[in-house]
Amino acid sequence: MLDGPDVGVSDPRDLVLGYLDWYRDALLRKIAGLSDVQLRAPVAPLNWSPLGLVKHLGWVERRWMRWGFAAEDVLAYPPGGDEAEWSVAAGESTTSVMAAYFEEVRRSRSLAARADLREQARAGGRFTTPQQAPSLGRILFHLLQEYARHVGQLDVARELIDGETGE
């Protein structure tokens, strides 16, 4: 049995989007069942929390799809840099972090649905010139590898938190 899209899926677009969604769902499966305290507490020796990882991936979606592919005029990095991107402040609710993540995923899906994999990113956001701008396919592939890496790291974090292991 293969993870991701059905074994009969062979279209490159369906494969990359299917695997990306599979990893987005895997992220949610791996945090399911954690208490709010467990979601928010940094895991030693990793020094980030599961919810901080979700927050980071929301920013990754935003940077690559909205600021990158669509060249939207959006804040690409939170004030406070990596520390703010990977940590969850006491005043930030778990619900608000999850809602922001889901909104970035929704926007990414919407942008990808309207474009061909060969379509080049617009210049003016993350990419200042057309020569720097990759295709949507390249951007989606980058997102896919980001998720694969981080969901794997989350496997380790989850095992350190409560001993749970997954696929």
Side-chain angles (χ1 to χ4, degrees), residues 15 19 56 58 61 65 81-82 84-85 91 93-94 100 113 137-138 150 153 160:
L15 281 170
Y19 269 107
H56 166 70
E61 295 261 3
M65 291 300 292
D82 282 350
E85 184 167 321
S93 71
T94 298
R138 173 110 182 170
H150 287 318
Q153 292 168 328
L160 291 169

Side-chain angles (χ1 to χ4, degrees), residues 10-125:
S10 60
D11 176 75
R13 178 184 183 77
D14 293 340
L15 281 170
V16 73
L17 291 174
Y19 269 107
L20 187 51
D21 277 341
W22 187 88
Y23 275 106
R24 287 169 175 149
D25 291 343
L27 172 74
L28 301 178
R29 287 191 304 272
K30 294 194 183 296
I31 64 171
L34 292 176
S35 70
D36 198 58
V37 169
Q38 291 170 318
L39 281 170
R40 300 170 73 85
V43 179
L46 305 172
N47 297 324
W48 47 261
S49 69
L51 193 59
L53 178 62
V54 172
K55 187 176 173 184
H56 166 70
L57 285 170
W59 282 100
V60 168
E61 295 261 3
R62 172 185 280 238
R63 270 194 296 275
W64 283 98
M65 291 300 292
R66 294 177 62 199
W67 184 50
F69 180 68
E72 290 180 19
D73 184 16
V74 295
L75 183 64
Y77 296 91
D82 282 350
E83 174 68 26
E85 184 167 321
W86 280 86
S87 62
V88 182
E92 282 182 285
S93 71
T94 298
T95 302
S96 69
V97 171
M98 294 305 297
Y101 169 76
F102 288 131
E103 178 60 14
E104 293 302 335
V105 168
R106 183 193 70 74
R107 288 174 178 253
S108 291
R109 285 178 177 143
S110 177
L111 287 167
R114 299 188 308 248
D116 186 88
L117 291 180
R118 294 174 299 231
E119 187 174 327
Q120 188 176 9
R122 290 153 195 80

Side-chain angles (χ1 to χ4, degrees), residues 114-159:
R114 299 188 308 248
D116 186 88
L117 291 180
R118 294 174 299 231
E119 187 174 327
Q120 188 176 9
R122 290 153 195 80
R126 181 180 194 120
F127 309 107
T128 56
T129 68
Q131 294 76 22
Q132 295 174 324
S135 68
L136 174 62
R138 173 110 182 170
I139 289 171
L140 292 174
F141 193 82
H142 178 80
L143 280 177
L144 179 60
Q145 70 84 25
E146 282 268 352
Y147 271 93
R149 181 166 39 97
H150 287 318
V151 168
Q153 292 168 328
L154 188 54
D155 277 333
V156 173
R158 182 67 191 254
E159 191 167 359

